[in-house]
Amino acid sequence: MTENWHKRFDEERARLNEIVLAGAPLGIKRFFALDEQVYEAGALPAKTKELLGLVASMTLRCDECVSYHLIRCREEGVTREEFYEAFNIALVVGGSIVIPHLRFAAERLETLLETR
Amino acid sequence: MTENWHKRFDEERARLNEIVLAGAPLGIKRFFALDEQVYEAGALPAKTKELLGLVASMTLRCDECVSYHLIRCREEGVTREEFYEAFNIALVVGGSIVIPHLRFAAERLETLLETR
Amino acid sequence: MTENWHKRFDEERARLNEIVLAGAPLGIKRFFALDEQVYEAGALPAKTKELLGLVASMTLRCDECVSYHLIRCREEGVTREEFYEAFNIALVVGGSIVIPHLRFAAERLETLLETR
Amino acid sequence: MTENWHKRFDEERARLNEIVLAGAPLGIKRFFALDEQVYEAGALPAKTKELLGLVASMTLRCDECVSYHLIRCREEGVTREEFYEAFNIALVVGGSIVIPHLRFAAERLETLLETR
Amino acid sequence: MTENWHKRFDEERARLNEIVLAGAPLGIKRFFALDEQVYEAGALPAKTKELLGLVASMTLRCDECVSYHLIRCREEGVTREEFYEAFNIALVVGGSIVIPHLRFAAERLETLLETR
Amino acid sequence: MTENWHKRFDEERARLNEIVLAGAPLGIKRFFALDEQVYEAGALPAKTKELLGLVASMTLRCDECVSYHLIRCREEGVTREEFYEAFNIALVVGGSIVIPHLRFAAERLETLLETR
């Protein structure tokens, strides 16, 4: 059921971004650009930055944002152990209200570790 | 898929409100009344008030509340350009965590602009 | 449609917890244990503690957490009237942004009151 | 330093409420009335309702709201042990981000237990 | 005590912005620029946009952001009645947890209406 | 004014923790232990973990938590450039509502970089 979720996720995200950017004023387009650039390697490596995005998304409880950063973290080579240590920080900081998002992430992570 | 979403939304909302109000104590009924009255035209026009409801809903990241205020804003004559300027404020105030709700709103807005 | 939701909820929760706990470091396992123990009867009865969990979940707007505490509150003998007074507090504290979660809870509560 | 905080708190709250209610439209006045009534004894006793208000305030991280419900809970006879069990639920649900508010509440509670 | 708060507010804000922007990478500077531009008059007038910023700040419970938009709304000619209708929407959307910020805003508004 | 803030911060934190832990049930004590352990070096280095705590604290808008992680990050050798890249992620994820906390952090960071 969650098999290939990341492909469907990328497609749906691209489809909706197209709708947004067709109607969007310059300010929204610039925000989207900033949102890309902020995760690029700098003084901190891209892997660390994606982990920062992942933990922030989990404590703010946004499954779509969690999905995006799971994929990107995986591309940067984050291992299962590293993922779970990041999840653990999100859980302690954000509390039990984070648990549904942790369950969601854990299931999606398994497919990601198998298929990529 | 999102075609006629606003009709289904209105029906589902009405169906669930009936369940809530059947069991609800006076305090909940009064809250629902306040929640209606607060958007009525006064010193500020209804259009401005619905935009306030829309941006608050988007920064608080509630898709159902966003849907409701999209419909009401449209009834008050908000144009595509005005919607996107409001979305832009929600995005800057609330950050990238708002983006999934912006995508959701943008898609629903297109149907609304076509069908109403 | 919502019939037997609580059985499916329990099964899905168990299935996902198994995935989480298979990969989880000790810190996550310990958090899950604390999350169980905190609702056990002590100076405050279990019923009061489950109501505290329910209202916190509703104001923090987590449907899955609401579902869990609805089931547990029902097991502790919370009546329809008591549920609605708790919902009312959540609504006043958290505002209209809570209403979609109140509707969700009200529908699920009806099935729970009928089938248990 | 925190001695008699509850007297200063009550005075400041009364002073500011007077400013708000002088300028407020009917809708705000009615909301303030609902906010009083919702904690009155009904199917659930006032003590339980105040504890619900306390835990919701702590997980939503509002020190002023926490202060108010600490005072009201104490008036309803909540004991130190019961307070700490409620704090514990707020901490587990809301996570470590709640800790500064827990520290705040713990200090204020001590004065309250001594002086009332 | 709150007399001339807006002057002190502007000075402190300028002092701290200088510290931030001295150390800030390009991404932060660009964000600050977007945050200015988004409130400029466009399809929606500046007054409406500042009211959107005010209500979003109040429901997200940020006193500093509320202060900023109070000043800007006043510059755009928002009247006491219009302010209170906007506060009322923030209160209904965000719930009683917003009340401390409403009290804060109401007191600051009085000085603003007198001194500007 | 912010000179030596970290010493006063540590002292106040220790003073209040003593009050909390004196009254706290086992569940709170265990939570405090988990909150310490989760930042210890494992698959991810302590420096990365402290940055995760910092960004989560900033997007959740808790100045006290930000202060704590600023100190700990500095102890782990985080440089000014790395701090600002982390702040930038928090700003983009959390939006302009984060700016007051970014200003707060930037000022405290300067003292920290000078005195440690």
Side-chain angles (χ1 to χ4, degrees):
Chain A
M1 192 170 66
T2 61
E3 220 185 306
N4 287 324
W5 67 266
H6 47 92
K7 280 180 196 159
R8 289 194 311 276
F9 177 84
D10 285 345
E11 285 163 18
E12 180 66 0
R13 191 170 169 272
R15 185 182 74 79
L16 290 173
N17 274 359
E18 210 175 313
I19 296 176
V20 171
L21 295 175
L26 197 55
I28 290 182
K29 284 172 186 157
R30 282 185 177 147
F31 190 101
F32 274 57
L34 286 185
D35 186 32
E36 288 261 328
Q37 293 155 9
V38 82
Y39 297 104
E40 285 167 12
L44 292 171
K47 178 180 157 183
T48 302
K49 290 187 168 185
E50 288 298 336
L51 283 166
L52 293 173
L54 177 65
V55 167
S57 300
M58 202 176 258
T59 54
L60 290 172
R61 299 155 50 205
C62 172
D63 280 342
E64 238 174 288
C65 314
V66 164
S67 295
Y68 177 75
H69 290 293
L70 281 177
I71 294 171
R72 286 289 300 115
C73 280
R74 188 61 189 134
E75 288 170 354
E76 297 298 332
V78 175
T79 65
R80 178 186 272 110
E81 262 192 308
E82 291 172 328
F83 270 115
Y84 269 95
E85 291 191 4
F87 294 170
N88 201 352
I89 289 176
L91 177 62
V92 167
V93 173
S96 68
I97 210 83
V98 165
I99 291 177
H101 308 275
L102 169 57
R103 287 192 192 110
F104 173 89
E107 184 175 33
R108 296 213 146 183
L109 177 60
E110 291 313 309
T111 349
L112 217 55
L113 292 170
E114 284 159 21
T115 60
R116 288 216 172 180
Chain B
M1 192 170 69
T2 61
E3 218 185 308
N4 288 324
W5 67 266
H6 47 93
K7 280 180 196 158
R8 288 196 311 278
F9 177 83
D10 285 345
E11 284 163 18
E12 181 66 0
R13 191 170 168 271
R15 184 181 75 80
L16 290 173
N17 274 359
E18 210 175 314
I19 296 175
V20 171
L21 295 175
L26 197 55
I28 290 182
K29 285 172 186 158
R30 282 185 176 148
F31 190 100
F32 274 58
L34 287 185
D35 185 32
E36 289 261 328
Q37 293 155 10
V38 82
Y39 297 104
E40 286 168 11
L44 292 171
K47 180 180 155 182
T48 303
K49 290 187 168 184
E50 287 299 335
L51 283 166
L52 293 172
L54 178 64
V55 168
S57 299
M58 201 175 259
T59 53
L60 290 171
R61 300 156 50 205
C62 172
D63 281 342
E64 238 175 288
C65 314
V66 164
S67 296
Y68 176 76
H69 290 293
L70 280 177
I71 295 172
R72 286 288 302 116
C73 280
R74 188 61 189 133
E75 287 170 354
E76 298 297 332
V78 175
T79 65
R80 179 187 271 109
E81 262 192 307
E82 292 172 328
F83 270 116
Y84 270 95
E85 291 191 3
F87 294 171
N88 202 350
I89 290 177
L91 178 63
V92 167
V93 173
S96 68
I97 210 83
V98 164
I99 291 178
H101 308 276
L102 169 57
R103 288 193 191 107
F104 173 88
E107 184 176 34
R108 296 213 146 183
L109 177 59
E110 291 313 309
T111 349
L112 216 54
L113 291 170
E114 285 161 20
T115 60
R116 289 215 171 179
Chain C
M1 190 170 68
T2 61
E3 219 186 307
N4 287 324
W5 67 265
H6 48 92
K7 280 181 196 158
R8 289 195 310 278
F9 177 84
D10 285 345
E11 284 162 19
E12 181 65 0
R13 190 170 170 272
R15 185 181 74 80
L16 291 172
N17 274 358
E18 210 174 313
I19 296 176
V20 171
L21 296 175
L26 197 55
I28 290 183
K29 285 173 185 156
R30 281 185 178 149
F31 190 101
F32 274 57
L34 286 185
D35 185 32
E36 289 260 328
Q37 292 155 10
V38 82
Y39 297 104
E40 285 168 11
L44 292 171
K47 179 180 155 182
T48 302
K49 289 186 168 185
E50 288 299 336
L51 283 166
L52 293 172
L54 177 64
V55 168
S57 300
M58 202 176 260
T59 54
L60 290 171
R61 300 155 48 204
C62 172
D63 281 342
E64 237 175 288
C65 313
V66 164
S67 295
Y68 177 76
H69 289 293
L70 280 177
I71 294 172
R72 285 289 299 115
C73 279
R74 188 62 189 134
E75 288 171 353
E76 296 298 332
V78 175
T79 66
R80 179 187 270 110
E81 264 192 307
E82 291 171 328
F83 270 115
Y84 269 94
E85 292 191 2
F87 292 170
N88 201 351
I89 289 176
L91 177 62
V92 167
V93 173
S96 68
I97 210 83
V98 164
I99 291 178
H101 308 277
L102 169 56
R103 287 192 192 108
F104 173 88
E107 184 176 34
R108 296 214 145 182
L109 177 60
E110 292 313 309
T111 350
L112 216 55
L113 291 170
E114 284 160 21
T115 60
R116 286 216 171 177
Chain D
M1 192 169 67
T2 61
E3 219 186 307
N4 288 324
W5 66 266
H6 48 92
K7 282 182 194 157
R8 289 195 311 278
F9 177 84
D10 286 344
E11 285 163 18
E12 182 66 0
R13 191 171 168 272
R15 185 181 74 79
L16 291 173
N17 275 358
E18 211 174 315
I19 296 175
V20 171
L21 296 175
L26 197 56
I28 291 183
K29 284 173 187 156
R30 281 186 177 146
F31 190 100
F32 274 58
L34 287 185
D35 185 32
E36 288 261 328
Q37 292 155 10
V38 82
Y39 297 103
E40 285 167 11
L44 292 171
K47 179 179 156 183
T48 302
K49 289 186 169 185
E50 288 298 337
L51 283 167
L52 293 172
L54 177 65
V55 168
S57 300
M58 202 174 258
T59 52
L60 290 171
R61 299 156 48 205
C62 172
D63 281 343
E64 238 175 287
C65 314
V66 163
S67 295
Y68 177 76
H69 290 292
L70 280 177
I71 295 172
R72 286 289 299 117
C73 280
R74 188 59 190 134
E75 287 171 355
E76 297 297 332
V78 175
T79 66
R80 179 187 271 108
E81 262 192 307
E82 291 172 328
F83 271 115
Y84 269 95
E85 292 190 2
F87 294 170
N88 201 350
I89 289 176
L91 177 62
V92 168
V93 173
S96 68
I97 212 82
V98 165
I99 290 177
H101 307 275
L102 168 57
R103 287 192 191 108
F104 174 88
E107 184 175 34
R108 295 214 146 181
L109 177 61
E110 290 314 308
T111 349
L112 216 56
L113 291 170
E114 284 161 19
T115 59
R116 288 220 171 173
Chain E
M1 192 171 66
T2 62
E3 220 186 306
N4 287 324
W5 67 265
H6 47 92
K7 282 182 194 156
R8 289 194 311 276
F9 177 84
D10 285 344
E11 285 162 18
E12 181 66 1
R13 190 169 169 274
R15 186 181 73 79
L16 290 173
N17 275 358
E18 211 175 313
I19 297 176
V20 171
L21 296 175
L26 197 55
I28 290 183
K29 284 172 186 156
R30 283 185 176 149
F31 190 101
F32 274 57
L34 287 185
D35 185 32
E36 288 261 327
Q37 294 155 8
V38 83
Y39 297 104
E40 286 167 11
L44 292 171
K47 180 180 155 183
T48 302
K49 289 187 169 185
E50 287 299 336
L51 283 167
L52 293 172
L54 177 65
V55 168
S57 299
M58 202 175 260
T59 53
L60 290 172
R61 300 157 46 205
C62 172
D63 280 341
E64 238 174 288
C65 314
V66 164
S67 296
Y68 177 75
H69 290 293
L70 280 177
I71 294 171
R72 287 288 300 114
C73 280
R74 188 62 189 133
E75 288 170 355
E76 297 297 333
V78 175
T79 66
R80 180 187 269 111
E81 262 192 307
E82 291 172 328
F83 271 116
Y84 269 95
E85 292 191 3
F87 293 171
N88 201 351
I89 290 176
L91 178 62
V92 167
V93 173
S96 68
I97 211 83
V98 164
I99 291 178
H101 308 277
L102 168 57
R103 288 192 192 108
F104 173 88
E107 184 175 33
R108 297 214 145 182
L109 177 60
E110 290 315 307
T111 350
L112 216 55
L113 292 170
E114 284 160 20
T115 60
R116 286 217 171 177
Chain F
M1 192 171 67
T2 61
E3 218 186 308
N4 287 324
W5 66 266
H6 48 91
K7 281 182 194 155
R8 288 195 312 278
F9 176 84
D10 284 346
E11 285 162 18
E12 181 66 0
R13 189 170 170 273
R15 185 182 73 80
L16 290 173
N17 273 359
E18 209 174 314
I19 296 175
V20 171
L21 296 176
L26 197 55
I28 290 182
K29 285 173 185 156
R30 282 184 177 148
F31 190 101
F32 274 57
L34 287 185
D35 185 33
E36 289 260 328
Q37 293 155 9
V38 82
Y39 297 103
E40 286 167 11
L44 294 169
K47 179 180 156 184
T48 302
K49 290 187 167 185
E50 287 299 336
L51 283 167
L52 293 173
L54 177 64
V55 168
S57 299
M58 201 175 259
T59 53
L60 290 171
R61 300 156 47 204
C62 172
D63 280 342
E64 238 175 288
C65 313
V66 164
S67 296
Y68 176 75
H69 290 292
L70 281 176
I71 295 172
R72 287 288 301 116
C73 279
R74 187 62 188 133
E75 288 171 355
E76 297 297 332
V78 175
T79 66
R80 178 187 272 109
E81 263 192 306
E82 291 172 328
F83 271 115
Y84 270 94
E85 292 191 1
F87 293 170
N88 201 352
I89 289 176
L91 178 62
V92 167
V93 173
S96 69
I97 211 83
V98 164
I99 291 178
H101 307 277
L102 168 58
R103 289 193 191 106
F104 173 89
E107 184 174 34
R108 297 213 145 182
L109 177 60
E110 291 313 310
T111 349
L112 216 55
L113 291 170
E114 285 160 21
T115 60
R116 286 218 172 177

